[in-house]
Amino acid sequence: MGIKAALPKYEIYFYNMVLCLAMFWAAGWIFDVSSSSANRKTFKTSVKPGWYYFGRKMDTADLEWMMWFSTFRAHILFALSGHVLFAKICSMLAPQYRSLVYMVYGLLAVWTSMGWTYVTLILSHCILLYSISLVKIRWLCFVAGLCTLATFKCEPFVSWQAGFVEGDFELRHVLFYGGCGFTIMRCMSFALENCERKDGNYNILELLKYNFYLPFFYFGPIMTFDKFYVQANKSDLTRKEWEMWNISLQGLIHLGVVIVVDVLFHFMYILTIPTDLKLLKHASDWALVGLAYFNLVYDWVKAAVMFGVINTVSRLDHLDPPKPPKCITMLYVFAETHFDRGINEWLCKYVYNYLGGKHENVVEELVATLCTFGVTILWLGPCEVVLIWAFLNCFGLNFELWTAKFFSMEPFASFEMAMSEAMSRRIRAVFNTLNFWTIVLYNILALNSLDFAKLVAKRLLLKGFPITTIIAMFVTYCLIQVIKERERGQALIDDPDSLPPAPPTSVAPASPTAASPTAAQPVADPSKEKAE
């Protein structure tokens, strides 16, 4: 059945009401646990005094968030503001050299923050992978890139290369791995795009411009070289109507989200509580379920804000960066699950789509997903949690395809065609509900810990059965229907002409083809059926 299957309005209103009440209910339990446990000994390292006018302590467990928006906020703002200033001056005076100015400023900023030996290390990797790209053998470029990336994940290569960084400041560890990891991925993108180029080779200067673009250098996101090359070298710098207004609005929204998250950290310690297993064992089922869900939502918010700030700067430079990741609240299929759209697009372009083709053949899909998650494991760093997370997500992605193939066979296909679109949507939502919680459990494994994921699964499926299980699944079912309704509305906006035609006013007997339930339906674009 199509994505445009509608449900009665009162049913959608009921689902929204249940969902809102459930969110407030779970948040209330988390607030109670946070308030009663603020002075626990295990909280001392991460729950610290917050804003004095709140009179409450603040959850500071996420070092990355605190680094961006508290500890090193001034340093990051200073570096990005300088980039914006010089980029604007160059765009006004000599727009044809703006990509060169981006490179020079980025190179100087990296040199200032990490030292000339670190710059030498980065340049050596760029020159090595550029030299290999001249051979124009795709598999060789890929193997060389992965081997280079592996040198930052295993000893003694990591310690040796870390010695190239000067100083002992707090950000040293983060900037070292961020800059080196993203550099290798960008160099691999350059090498693979150079292999696809039929006439000649790209200049090494284009690689350096691409790699040393400061907003993307340390923290991403990754924009593939083909897109960056076209956008950074375009001569027409005119903006669309209301574009600057939209960029300014996005910046204000990100600022507002940062303030809201910091305020919530004073009332709900969603990052610190999962680290205290003794406390979790005495917490209610609803507090545990809420913690699992809110941890994933927070991780999406963090990625959306951090990439959003960088994307705002890059949009000022007339670039079109990767969009923020899709919110976990809007996910119920493994095929759309990701927390970094830049890495996701990189993997899809060079591995998943390249090996998987149309993603219809079971064997090709299995090979494509295994290779994709193999690269992902290397990118994240091989360890027990990452290996378990990759295996479960790889299995989930393939299981979706196997299930879709199985239920497209007879007699299931005939059963679905015989029922109404609304009923088909409800039945699909039941299966999507189970899928949603597998996505949640698989990903809190990576974001929190294996013990926390096991505890949540045990409470949700075993100890809490049947009351907690049934209620949680019903609330999730309501969430899935709300998501589907939003997707339906977006599909009607994107393709309004494909609505089913109005029934004829004639009372003449219909032809056999007109009586078919599929005849009145338009031929849908496969991409719009992806979520179904």
Side-chain angles (χ1 to χ4, degrees):
M1 295 294 177
I3 195 174
K4 297 180 182 178
L7 294 179
K9 288 291 184 183
Y10 66 84
E11 189 174 341
I12 299 299
Y13 293 149
F14 173 73
Y15 292 148
N16 279 282
M17 182 186 68
V18 171
L19 190 59
C20 291
L21 291 175
M23 292 295 179
F24 283 114
W25 179 256
W29 279 101
I30 297 173
F31 173 74
D32 289 341
V33 175
S34 302
S35 299
S36 60
S37 309
N39 296 317
R40 288 177 66 90
K41 290 183 179 180
T42 53
F43 282 20
K44 284 186 178 180
T45 57
S46 56
V47 178
K48 299 179 180 179
W51 298 352
Y52 69 92
Y53 35 80
F54 276 127
R56 292 180 60 91
K57 293 183 178 180
M58 180 181 179
D59 191 344
T60 61
D62 191 340
L63 298 179
E64 195 174 17
W65 179 272
M66 299 306 297
M67 175 194 73
W68 262 82
F69 304 111
S70 180
T71 314
F72 292 97
R73 176 179 55 200
H75 300 78
I76 295 172
L77 283 176
F78 178 77
L80 293 179
S81 299
H83 172 87
V84 171
L85 177 62
F86 283 102
K88 183 62 178 177
I89 293 174
C90 181
S91 297
M92 294 171 61
L93 301 179
Q96 67 273 23
Y97 298 115
R98 63 192 183 95
S99 59
L100 190 61
V101 171
Y102 298 160
M103 182 199 73
V104 172
Y105 181 85
L107 195 59
L108 292 175
V110 174
W111 191 330
T112 303
S113 59
M114 300 292 282
W116 69 270
T117 52
Y118 179 76
V119 174
T120 304
L121 174 67
I122 295 295
L123 287 174
S124 66
H125 284 296
C126 291
I127 294 171
L128 172 64
L129 292 175
Y130 175 78
S131 303
I132 295 173
S133 72
L134 298 178
V135 183
K136 291 199 171 186
I137 301 176
R138 187 183 180 90
W139 68 265
L140 181 61
C141 294
F142 217 98
V143 170
L146 294 179
C147 291
T148 308
L149 183 62
T151 62
F152 294 100
K153 307 296 180 181
C154 57
E155 294 290 352
F157 305 104
V158 179
S159 300
W160 178 71
Q161 293 182 99
F164 284 87
V165 183
E166 299 175 351
D168 56 353
F169 57 98
E170 190 177 350
L171 268 180
R172 174 180 177 272
H173 182 78
V174 176
L175 297 184
F176 171 77
Y177 285 104
C180 292
F182 282 112
T183 290
I184 302 305
M185 300 298 277
R186 283 188 288 263
C187 288
M188 288 177 67
S189 176
F190 174 89
L192 294 171
E193 292 298 334
N194 193 59
C195 292
E196 297 295 325
R197 190 174 188 179
K198 297 180 180 179
D199 50 337
N201 299 289
Y202 289 107
N203 194 303
I204 190 173
L205 187 62
E206 299 297 337
L207 172 59
L208 298 180
K209 291 177 184 177
Y210 172 50
N211 186 60
F212 284 101
Y213 179 68
L214 184 62
F216 294 166
F217 183 80
Y218 285 119
F219 304 108
I222 289 180
M223 179 189 288
T224 54
F225 175 74
D226 56 330
K227 295 180 179 179
F228 182 88
Y229 179 76
V230 171
Q231 296 175 23
N233 292 290
K234 66 180 181 181
S235 56
D236 183 16
L237 300 183
T238 56
R239 296 191 183 276
K240 299 177 182 178
E241 188 178 5
W242 299 104
E243 184 176 352
M244 280 303 300
W245 167 259
N246 291 332
I247 294 174
S248 303
L249 182 62
Q250 284 297 112
L252 291 175
I253 290 174
H254 295 141
L255 177 61
V257 172
V258 171
I259 295 173
V260 169
V261 171
D262 274 356
V263 170
L264 290 177
F265 276 161
H266 288 78
F267 298 94
M268 294 193 296
Y269 305 149
I270 59 173
L271 303 178
T272 298
I273 294 175
T275 63
D276 191 340
L277 293 178
K278 290 184 179 180
L279 176 62
L280 290 174
K281 290 178 180 178
H282 299 287
S284 69
D285 295 346
W286 308 115
L288 274 179
V289 171
L291 281 170
Y293 178 74
F294 286 129
N295 263 266
L296 288 180
V297 172
Y298 164 72
D299 195 73
W300 170 80
V301 170
K302 180 178 73 171
V305 172
M306 290 172 58
F307 289 143
V309 171
I310 294 173
N311 289 353
T312 301
V313 174
S314 62
R315 288 178 66 191
L316 290 173
D317 294 336
H318 302 271
L319 299 180
D320 184 19
K323 296 178 181 179
K326 193 172 182 179
C327 180
I328 185 64
T329 305
M330 306 301 296
L331 291 175
Y332 54 87
V333 289
F334 280 92
E336 296 182 358
T337 305
H338 56 268
F339 291 93
D340 184 340
R341 200 180 292 266
I343 291 290
N344 182 70
E345 291 179 355
W346 192 100
L347 290 170
C348 287
K349 180 178 176 64
Y350 299 120
V351 185
Y352 185 59
N353 292 335
Y354 184 81
L355 298 175
K358 296 181 179 180
H359 305 291
E360 295 177 352
N361 184 280
V362 174
V363 177
E364 288 182 354
E365 181 74 2
L366 181 61
V367 172
T369 51
L370 287 174
C371 292
T372 301
F373 279 100
V375 176
T376 306
I377 289 171
L378 187 59
W379 164 251
L380 296 175
C383 64
E384 181 185 5
V385 172
V386 172
L387 290 172
I388 296 174
W389 170 86
F391 170 78
L392 293 175
N393 279 273
C394 183
F395 172 76
L397 193 60
N398 282 277
F399 188 72
E400 280 182 352
L401 177 63
W402 303 337
T403 306
K405 290 283 187 184
F406 178 74
F407 282 101
S408 64
M409 300 166 60
E410 295 295 340
F412 305 107
S414 298
F415 289 160
E416 186 173 18
M417 294 306 300
M419 67 180 64
S420 65
E421 287 193 341
M423 184 55 65
S424 172
R425 170 173 160 174
R426 295 185 184 102
I427 294 174
R428 284 174 177 265
V430 172
F431 289 98
N432 294 145
T433 298
L434 303 175
N435 213 36
F436 181 89
W437 272 105
T438 57
I439 292 174
V440 171
L441 293 174
Y442 290 176
N443 285 283
I444 63 171
L445 170 70
L447 296 177
N448 296 104
S449 67
L450 179 60
D451 293 331
F452 179 62
K454 288 163 61 177
L455 185 60
V456 173
K458 188 176 181 180
R459 286 286 194 91
L460 182 64
L461 302 175
L462 299 177
K463 276 193 173 183
F465 186 84
I467 297 176
T468 302
T469 306
I470 293 174
I471 295 177
M473 292 302 168
F474 176 69
V475 172
T476 308
Y477 171 83
C478 296
L479 172 62
I480 299 299
Q481 291 291 13
V482 171
I483 298 172
K484 286 179 176 289
E485 187 63 21
R486 188 176 185 275
E487 290 176 345
R488 174 180 173 272
Q490 188 61 44
L492 294 176
I493 294 173
D494 295 339
D495 194 15
D497 296 334
S498 64
L499 289 171
T505 56
S506 172
V507 294
S511 64
T513 54
S516 171
T518 59
Q521 299 297 325
V523 178
D525 183 355
S527 64
K528 292 190 172 55
E529 300 289 343
K530 183 178 181 182
E532 293 296 320

